[in-house]
Amino acid sequence: MARILVTEAIAEGGLDRLREAGHTVDIHEGLSPDELLQAVPGAHALIIRSATQVTAEVLAAATDMVVVGRAGIGLDNVDVAAATDRGVMVVNAPQSNILSAAEQTMALLLAQARNIPQAHAALVAGRWERSRWTGVELADKTLGVVGLGRIGKLVAQRAMAFGMRIVAHDPFVSPEMGRKMNIDLVDLDTLMDVSDFVTLHVAKTPETIGLIDADRLAKAKAGIRIINVARGGIVIESDLAEAIKSGHVGGAALDVFDTEPTTESPLFGLPEVVVTPHLGASTHEAQDKAGDTIADMVELALAGEFVPFAVNVNAAEASETVRPFLSLAERLGSLFAGLTGGVGELQISYEGEIGGYDTRILTLSLLKGFFGRISDDPVSYVNAPKLAEEHGIGVTETATTTSHHYVNQITIRAGEHCISGTLVGLEGEARLVMVDDHRVDLPPARHMVVVRNDDRPGMIGKVGTLVGEAGINIADMDVGQSASGVSALMVLATTEPVPAEVQDALRSVDGIVSVASLT
């Protein structure tokens, strides 16, 4: 039986099940970093929440560690890469707060529509202001849902019960899946134009930071109301405040903010705004579910059984030939999500020596990278195929031991877009070797931009000038050639993300067809 170290408050029911299984549950809450280093030797499992920092140093000291369990969703406080290197499984409880977050969204939606917090504050302060706080009904109003992940779907279902019409924007959900849910899928500008209320359920990425800004609000339907229980920074708070002051936006309700914790925001002084201090997961049920779930996952891991919510996979499960390609596959998946903007099917091909091996783990890694970029749900090797199914995205795989250009090559294709990568040299350096059927050769970087342009002189200079004038350094660049020899694509690796306004400036240049950020 194992020793399980618990460093933060966990639901007692889950801990009791671990004890009943014969394990020793060793509770030491509030350990300092030095005290944690002293406590982990001899522990086979570590259960934490958000306060305990599981660093590479902690993992090195935990020589008997089998599994680290985070009773919640985020894993910012766990060095997952170091755990994977040491063969330590990392598990979390990704579904523990989904229902609570959806209900918090509905609570804010109703509170905003009926001015409940404002009326309450006035009444307890001695003011009977019945006429001032007249609200609106939800019935027959249009709710725009931005992001149809698990939480977005739950909100849509609940809003339908109030008689609301639902439209949604999610480029990674197929129209057929939308029809099954009785939801009209539209582009974001259309959603903002037709919605009376808009609720956000997207991950915080370079593409979604500042998604709701002054320009988008100005083009939205007059009187629109914004609900955000997703992530701070998706809405530019100062822009939203100004739009409310002008009367164009009817109001807002926010549970998350750009900086947290915070007691200051341009929104706080506006009577049309309802705010809460990030309470989306703050229910007794969500906390209990997280504790119960993580206890179950830890018990399965210690027993050597299948663990549904494992977020890393021991690379020993892959062959010696396939294993080096795991990180490349995940990176290609992430880059491809930025390149496409929306897909209905992913076609994955493996060419060369790896085509003769079991590549299923590479596909899982690729899907993990793809959905890790676009989904508001935590993504693991285990739940990535399920996310593909929920988004209505088909996945097909082909493998061949023949490769025309490289010893090994991985290619992802969807519609007109594709991306390929390989490993080169004795050290197995990752390289991008094709983007949208144009041959390139450069390492995949953290920040990348793909520019499609007319094949004419001076295009490289125009792109380099605009990016340079924005103070952004181009660390690497390649000009891709099509099979016919046409050089009409550039791939840039930059030292920092290329801001949206710089991308827009590039798109306005005569001769540039499209700009896609792969960051």
Side-chain angles (χ1 to χ4, degrees):
M1 294 297 101
R3 172 184 169 233
I4 301 172
L5 177 62
V6 180
T7 61
E8 299 179 61
I10 303 296
E12 196 62 31
L15 299 182
D16 285 342
R17 286 202 296 278
L18 292 171
R19 295 185 183 102
E20 291 168 3
H23 301 302
T24 299
V25 178
D26 193 3
I27 301 175
H28 290 281
E29 296 182 22
L31 295 179
S32 69
D34 288 339
E35 290 170 337
L36 180 61
L37 286 172
Q38 297 298 316
V40 292
H44 302 90
L46 173 62
I47 296 180
I48 63 171
R49 284 192 183 276
S50 58
T52 304
Q53 299 296 314
V54 185
T55 62
E57 185 180 11
V58 170
L59 291 162
T63 53
D64 297 317
M65 191 67 65
V66 174
V67 58
V68 174
R70 159 75 161 94
I73 293 181
L75 288 166
D76 293 345
N77 56 323
V78 180
D79 191 331
V80 177
T84 303
D85 288 342
R86 293 187 170 276
V88 176
M89 184 179 293
V90 180
V91 299
N92 64 353
Q95 298 180 7
S96 58
N97 74 345
I98 291 172
L99 186 57
S100 291
E103 290 186 355
Q104 175 74 356
T105 302
M106 294 306 299
L108 288 180
L109 179 65
L110 286 162
Q112 214 297 315
R114 299 306 299 269
N115 301 309
I116 293 171
Q118 301 94 320
H120 167 84
L123 188 55
V124 298
R127 302 190 307 275
W128 183 272
E129 298 178 341
R130 186 178 181 187
S131 60
R132 181 181 180 186
W133 301 116
T134 300
V136 297
E137 293 181 349
L138 297 184
D140 298 322
K141 301 297 191 302
T142 297
L143 175 66
V145 180
V146 182
L148 273 179
R150 289 190 177 96
I151 298 173
K153 288 175 183 175
L154 289 175
V155 170
Q157 291 167 359
R158 282 150 179 75
M160 287 178 188
F162 282 86
M164 301 190 81
R165 172 190 173 231
I166 311 298
V167 298
H169 171 70
D170 191 325
F172 297 95
V173 171
S174 67
E176 180 182 358
M177 186 64 66
R179 285 192 294 271
K180 288 181 180 179
M181 295 183 287
N182 198 28
I183 296 173
D184 294 328
L185 289 171
V186 297
D187 61 71
L188 185 55
D189 287 338
T190 300
L191 181 144
M192 297 293 291
D193 183 55
V194 302
S195 297
D196 300 292
F197 294 84
V198 170
T199 180
L200 305 169
H201 304 285
V202 294
K204 188 175 182 178
T205 68
E207 289 80 15
T208 62
I209 292 174
L211 185 69
I212 306 300
D213 59 6
D215 182 59
R216 182 151 276 134
L217 290 169
K219 294 184 291 186
K221 181 177 182 179
I224 194 171
R225 305 177 189 216
I226 308 297
I227 316 295
N228 187 15
V229 187
R231 298 289 187 274
I234 296 173
V235 176
I236 297 181
E237 295 166 30
S238 57
D239 289 356
L240 179 57
E242 289 303 315
I244 293 172
K245 290 176 183 177
S246 72
H248 182 67
V249 172
L254 288 85
D255 185 51
V256 289
F257 302 90
D258 192 25
T259 301
E260 295 182 3
T262 185
T263 56
E264 296 182 357
S265 169
L267 294 164
F268 287 178
L270 302 179
E272 301 89 351
V273 175
V274 177
V275 292
T276 50
H278 204 146
L279 300 180
S282 296
T283 63
H284 294 296
E285 291 84 356
Q287 299 303 310
D288 287 345
K289 287 176 189 174
D292 291 344
T293 299
I294 213 62
D296 291 341
M297 297 304 105
V298 167
E299 185 176 356
L300 290 170
L302 292 173
E305 298 180 12
F306 174 74
V307 183
F309 297 142
V311 300
N312 61 346
V313 170
N314 192 335
E317 296 179 14
S319 70
E320 292 289 339
T321 301
V322 169
R323 192 182 309 167
F325 290 85
L326 286 171
S327 60
L328 172 65
E330 183 169 349
R331 186 67 181 129
L332 287 175
S334 177
L335 291 173
F336 193 65
L339 180 66
T340 59
V343 300
E345 183 177 19
L346 292 174
Q347 299 171 336
I348 305 167
S349 64
Y350 301 100
E351 300 177 16
E353 186 180 4
I354 58 173
Y357 289 81
D358 186 347
T359 56
R360 287 177 296 178
I361 195 169
L362 292 179
T363 298
L364 292 177
S365 188
L366 189 152
L367 292 176
K368 183 172 180 286
F370 183 87
F371 287 104
R373 179 186 176 92
I374 69 170
S375 177
D376 62 336
D377 299 318
V379 183
S380 71
Y381 291 92
V382 177
N383 71 357
K386 181 65 173 177
L387 287 173
E389 179 183 341
E390 291 177 353
H391 283 73
I393 296 176
V395 179
T396 60
E397 304 169 55
T398 59
T400 175
T401 55
T402 302
S403 184
H404 299 290
H405 301 293
Y406 299 92
V407 175
N408 294 289
Q409 185 170 330
I410 302 173
T411 301
I412 316 169
R413 186 178 294 274
E416 63 180 7
H417 293 292
C418 63
I419 193 168
S420 293
T422 189
L423 301 180
V424 299
L426 296 177
E427 296 183 357
E429 180 187 5
R431 308 288 289 189
L432 289 183
V433 296
M434 183 177 67
V435 176
D436 286 351
D437 290 313
H438 287 69
R439 295 185 63 182
V440 297
D441 186 3
L442 75 168
R446 183 178 181 185
H447 308 299
M448 305 193 79
V449 174
V450 173
V451 179
R452 297 290 299 269
N453 57 275
D454 296 338
D455 186 25
R456 65 168 81 164
M459 298 308 300
I460 295 175
K462 291 179 180 179
V463 171
T465 298
L466 275 173
V467 174
E469 288 177 347
I472 299 169
N473 185 46
I474 299 176
D476 206 344
M477 178 179 178
D478 197 21
V479 178
Q481 285 194 338
S482 66
S484 62
V486 175
S487 300
L489 178 143
M490 289 176 258
V491 182
L492 287 71
T494 58
T495 55
E496 58 187 285
V498 177
E501 57 268 24
V502 178
Q503 295 179 43
D504 289 339
L506 288 169
R507 294 185 183 100
S508 68
V509 173
D510 183 37
I512 289 183
V513 178
S514 66
V515 178
S517 172
L518 310 190
T519 299

